[in-house]
Amino acid sequence: MALTVLRNCSKVLKINVQKFTALQHVSTGVRHKTTIQYATRPDLPKLAYRKLNGKSPGVVFLPGFASVMGGQKAEALEEFCKSLGHSYLRFDYSGCGASEGEMGNYNIGAWKKDVLYVLDELVEGPQILVGSSMGGWLMLLAALARPEKTAALVGISTAADHFVTAFNSLPIETKKEIEEQGFWKFPTKHNEEGFYTLSVDFLKEAENHCILQSPIPVSCPVRLIHGLKDSDVPWHVSMQVAERVLSNDVDVIIRKHGQHRMSAKDDIKLMVYTIDDLIDKLTTLG
């Protein structure tokens, strides 16, 4: 049974004095960014990524839906990893950001393949996977597919099964209309249009990757951070993940005033402290 620990948002994870100085100076942007590189893959679009070489365990950041590797959390993590000398990689999914392709041509399965390619070809050794929103869903899928490459998981507003759950909660008549039209205007506050256009094929394919209906055989440490005021993905999704994961080392951290993007200064500090704590734990165990 997964051990779920609720931590008050005002509490700060313990870190040693030497590291505290470095962590204090982690901002929401990177002063000297790594350069964009492109991974060429047979029969697949080029994948854009930024890589920082360093010590193990490395950190890999997985963005959310329609998000890119240039977000505040992704950039702050690069600065943090650089300050401690650990390796770090962030990337854009197929069809997103600087990677090749059109976003509408890809789905959860394709983006899962992107993550597995990163783990198989672009990094060395077990990694701490940090997934934001949909990236939290993908990090769980990656951990199931590549347990030997997964040192720990950190989910930020984890959106496991989210599109499928949201669609299934609609009234029957609404679902019929969407199926007849062939697409769903999924409401969002995160773009000018006020919605994302999701095809019915996208939704059906996503069903193949749902994980919350049965135990999740992941045994590594898992940390799940979620905002109580998240109006996109309810915080109880992180609780469901914690309950399903088989690992005994699972903490759920609830931010009382946290919203979905968790990009406020204190949210980012909490994320960094959480990862720093995991690095200490993994280094000690190693």
Side-chain angles (χ1 to χ4, degrees):
M1 187 67 180
L3 174 62
T4 304
V5 179
L6 291 175
R7 291 179 177 171
N8 187 285
C9 62
S10 64
K11 293 182 180 178
V12 177
L13 298 173
K14 293 180 180 179
I15 55 176
N16 62 45
V17 175
Q18 183 179 4
K19 286 187 177 179
F20 184 70
T21 303
L23 291 171
Q24 273 187 316
H25 292 90
V26 172
S27 66
T28 56
V30 179
R31 295 181 181 86
H32 303 289
K33 293 182 182 180
T34 48
T35 57
I36 294 182
Q37 302 180 62
Y38 293 90
T40 301
R41 305 177 292 170
D43 303 319
L44 290 171
K46 288 182 181 178
L47 209 61
Y49 67 98
R50 294 178 182 268
K51 184 178 181 181
L52 179 70
N53 293 319
K55 298 181 293 187
S56 293
V59 177
V60 175
F61 183 79
L62 312 182
F65 181 80
S67 296
V68 296
M69 60 177 165
Q72 289 178 307
K73 295 186 292 294
E75 295 203 340
L77 272 182
E78 182 169 310
E79 186 173 345
F80 163 68
C81 289
K82 185 176 182 179
S83 72
L84 293 186
H86 281 263
S87 67
Y88 176 64
L89 187 143
R90 51 189 168 121
F91 69 101
D92 288 333
Y93 302 121
S94 296
C96 300
S99 289
E100 282 187 337
E102 294 293 329
M103 184 177 168
N105 295 331
Y106 301 97
N107 51 36
I108 299 298
W111 295 327
K112 173 187 171 182
K113 288 181 181 177
D114 290 345
V115 180
L116 297 185
Y117 179 85
V118 167
L119 293 178
D120 292 341
E121 305 294 338
L122 301 183
V123 296
E124 296 179 1
Q127 305 290 309
I128 297 174
L129 304 184
V130 182
S132 177
S133 191
M134 183 190 75
W137 184 2
L138 291 171
M139 83 178 178
L140 289 162
L141 295 173
L144 290 170
R146 298 290 188 274
E148 73 283 0
K149 294 290 186 75
T150 308
L153 302 177
V154 179
I156 314 295
S157 307
T158 299
D161 300 4
H162 181 55
F163 299 120
V164 177
T165 302
F167 179 75
N168 289 339
S169 67
L170 295 173
I172 294 175
E173 288 303 316
T174 304
K175 287 192 284 188
K176 284 182 179 179
E177 289 176 9
I178 290 170
E179 288 169 351
E180 289 172 0
Q181 292 173 347
F183 64 88
W184 179 23
K185 290 186 176 181
F186 185 79
T188 181
K189 298 178 294 184
H190 305 301
N191 66 15
E192 292 181 0
E193 293 80 9
F195 61 87
Y196 296 122
T197 301
L198 304 179
S199 70
V200 170
D201 287 342
F202 177 92
L203 295 168
K204 288 182 177 178
E205 196 279 336
E207 291 177 357
N208 299 325
H209 307 286
C210 289
I211 55 177
L212 293 180
Q213 302 307 312
S214 59
I216 304 172
V218 167
S219 58
C220 66
V222 179
R223 303 292 180 264
L224 302 165
I225 304 173
H226 218 121
L228 205 59
K229 294 189 176 181
D230 188 335
S231 59
D232 295 284
V233 180
W235 61 269
H236 65 71
V237 173
S238 283
M239 299 298 292
Q240 285 181 281
V241 172
E243 290 171 355
R244 302 290 190 276
V245 166
L246 297 184
S247 172
N248 287 321
D249 187 357
V250 181
D251 290 351
V252 178
I253 306 167
I254 299 296
R255 293 279 294 167
K256 184 174 182 179
H257 299 292
Q259 302 196 28
H260 183 65
R261 288 196 165 177
M262 295 291 286
S263 56
K265 186 176 180 180
D266 286 343
D267 296 333
I268 291 175
K269 281 185 178 180
L270 176 60
M271 175 187 68
V272 168
Y273 291 151
T274 301
I275 295 167
D276 180 68
D277 185 63
L278 278 171
I279 288 174
D280 279 346
K281 182 184 185 77
L282 294 167
T283 303
T284 301
L285 291 174

